[in-house]
Amino acid sequence: MFLVIWFLAITAAAAAAAAGAAAFPQHHHTTKFPVHELYKMTTDFWDAFMYPNNCLQAKSINSTLLAEDVQGRIDITRTFVGQELNTEYLFGLFCNAVGSEFSIVGIPTSYTVEEFVGSGNLVSVTVTVSMNYPALAWISPVQITTFITFDQRGRISQYDAVFKWLDWQFATLLQKAQALAGNSSVVELVENLLIQEICSVASQYCIGDLQQYSSTSDCSTFLSSIRLGEVWELGMNTLTCRVVHRNMVPYRPDVHCAHIGKSGGGYCTDDRLYDKYVSQPFFTMSSLIRNSSHHG
Ligand SMILES: *[C@@H]1O[C@H](CO)[C@@H](O)[C@H](O)[C@H]1NC(C)=O
Ligand SMILES: *[C@@H]1O[C@H](CO)[C@@H](O)[C@H](O)[C@H]1NC(C)=O
Ligand SMILES: *[C@@H]1O[C@H](CO)[C@@H](O)[C@H](O)[C@H]1NC(C)=O
């Protein structure tokens, strides 16, 4: 339904542009792929996102599904630029190479495509991913809507991803975790588990010049002093942000150790304001440029 409205809006804008009334982005220098190819390129990505395919992608360091200068944005976290960083975030994070008894990051096991529209080099797709949380004996549906552009080689050049209802999902996760907590506070239990997971990775990988905490007790004292975090704060100075980044530390400790440290390394840092962040342009390539939705 919404996709139809969106399509009509674009059509109306194109008609207005033809009449000289509004600037509509011209898709020069982009490849026009047939829709079935766009669909295949899209499902190739989601296939690779599933465990254990995602671990193979992560091992490749620079996923061939991504352009060298890929720009990505995820509403609940941050923006990510470049092939190597995006390989780590899109594939390494959910491979969970560090392993853990309890995780707030699920293991993607299968998916279904709910909505798809493709045109030129642009796709809008909604998938429902089945995320496995073994410690909770729970397989949770997680719905993700993404605008994607592909370069001429069919690699992802930009993506803008939104996790739908994830705050509701997280509240449900906490309800499930209540079984592990018995009569104690589930938030306290989750906080303690996450602190242990972060501190164990910090002490194992962030050593020498990369050291973030003087000791395990320094680590747990600091982490106990910051907030667990709301779902939209996965890119802020929170415990949950550091849990996300913890999974990436083994890939490149020199890049990721600071993110689980006290400063947050510019990723788990309270350096953003809602109104500034939301209106700030990010994408620079045709089809996803911000201006494309601003009509006179
Ligand atoms: C991955 O890409 C980066 C940036 O282009 C490059 O510096 C690095 O050497 C590449 N790594 C591998 C293993 O290909
Ligand atoms: C939890 O609380 C209930 C009701 O107060 C009590 O009957 C039960 O024994 C408690 N369970 C544990 C494991 O403490
Ligand atoms: C967006 O629009 C502004 C003002 O109209 C212009 O200065 C800027 O160059 C445009 N950006 C892009 C990426 O087209």
Side-chain angles (χ1 to χ4, degrees), residues 260-292:
I260 64 169
K262 290 182 182 174
S263 77
Y267 274 89
C268 297
T269 309
D270 286 344
D271 57 356
R272 301 183 298 169
L273 291 175
Y274 169 78
D275 44 7
K276 274 217 179 100
Y277 185 74
V278 167
S279 51
Q280 182 187 327
F282 171 63
F283 296 104
T284 58
M285 293 171 235
S286 175
S287 299
L288 280 188
I289 57 170
R290 244 181 69 77
N291 286 12
S292 54

Side-chain angles (χ1 to χ4, degrees), residues 20 31 36 38 42 58 100-101 117 123-124 166 191 199 228 243 265 279:
T31 307
H36 70 271
L38 287 172
T42 303
S100 54
E101 291 286 303
V117 62
V123 151
S124 174
L166 200 69
E191 280 174 350
C199 294
L228 176 64
V243 167
S279 51

Side-chain angles (χ1 to χ4, degrees), residues 26-139:
Q26 300 301 305
H27 297 187
H28 298 312
H29 317 300
T30 60
T31 307
K32 291 191 194 319
F33 293 97
V35 173
H36 70 271
E37 269 184 47
L38 287 172
Y39 189 81
K40 176 160 192 315
M41 278 145 41
T42 303
T43 52
D44 280 351
F45 169 79
W46 284 111
D47 289 346
F49 185 76
M50 296 302 120
Y51 181 87
N53 304 345
N54 56 359
C55 300
L56 293 178
Q57 292 291 329
K59 261 197 201 124
S60 77
I61 312 288
N62 292 312
S63 169
T64 54
L65 296 168
L66 308 173
E68 281 89 4
D69 54 354
V70 56
Q71 300 178 306
R73 181 170 62 190
I74 301 179
D75 65 330
I76 46 171
T77 55
R78 288 207 176 216
T79 56
F80 305 100
V81 176
Q83 196 177 24
E84 191 166 355
L85 194 66
N86 275 286
T87 301
E88 290 163 348
Y89 281 91
L90 295 174
F91 302 114
L93 167 58
F94 298 95
C95 165
N96 192 8
V98 189
S100 54
E101 291 286 303
F102 169 84
S103 182
I104 57 162
V105 179
I107 301 165
T109 53
S110 64
Y111 71 98
T112 52
V113 176
E114 308 286 353
E115 299 159 340
F116 175 88
V117 62
S119 169
N121 74 331
L122 175 68
V123 151
S124 174
V125 63
T126 300
V127 296
T128 304
V129 178
S130 293
M131 290 283 194
N132 190 9
Y133 294 84
L136 302 175
W138 184 38
I139 295 182

Side-chain angles (χ1 to χ4, degrees), residues 133-262:
Y133 294 84
L136 302 175
W138 184 38
I139 295 182
S140 168
V142 174
Q143 206 166 85
I144 308 166
T145 293
T146 312
F147 272 92
I148 304 170
T149 58
F150 294 94
D151 70 3
Q152 70 277 16
R153 287 167 56 183
R155 303 177 305 177
I156 292 175
S157 53
Q158 299 167 114
Y159 66 87
D160 197 6
V162 175
F163 280 70
K164 284 163 83 172
W165 302 307
L166 200 69
D167 37 6
W168 193 1
Q169 194 260 5
F170 190 63
T172 307
L173 184 148
L174 288 181
Q175 280 165 17
K176 304 267 174 193
Q178 185 66 62
L180 304 177
N183 285 353
S184 343
S185 149
V186 66
V187 171
E188 233 166 73
L189 171 87
V190 167
E191 280 174 350
N192 287 334
L193 289 171
L194 300 186
I195 289 170
Q196 279 169 31
E197 290 172 6
I198 298 163
C199 294
S200 105
V201 166
S203 65
Q204 195 183 341
Y205 295 94
C206 305
I207 49 183
D209 289 348
L210 304 177
Q211 187 172 343
Q212 305 296 316
Y213 302 102
S214 59
S215 64
T216 304
S217 85
D218 179 35
C219 179
S220 53
T221 303
F222 172 78
L223 293 178
S224 305
S225 76
I226 62 170
R227 59 197 190 277
L228 176 64
E230 301 291 334
V231 172
W232 54 271
E233 293 186 302
L234 284 170
M236 305 282 268
N237 183 23
T238 61
L239 210 47
T240 47
C241 181
R242 285 171 179 78
V243 167
V244 166
H245 286 267
R246 154 199 183 270
N247 281 7
M248 260 82 69
V249 168
Y251 297 107
R252 281 187 297 169
D254 56 322
V255 171
H256 298 287
C257 276
H259 306 153
I260 64 169
K262 290 182 182 174

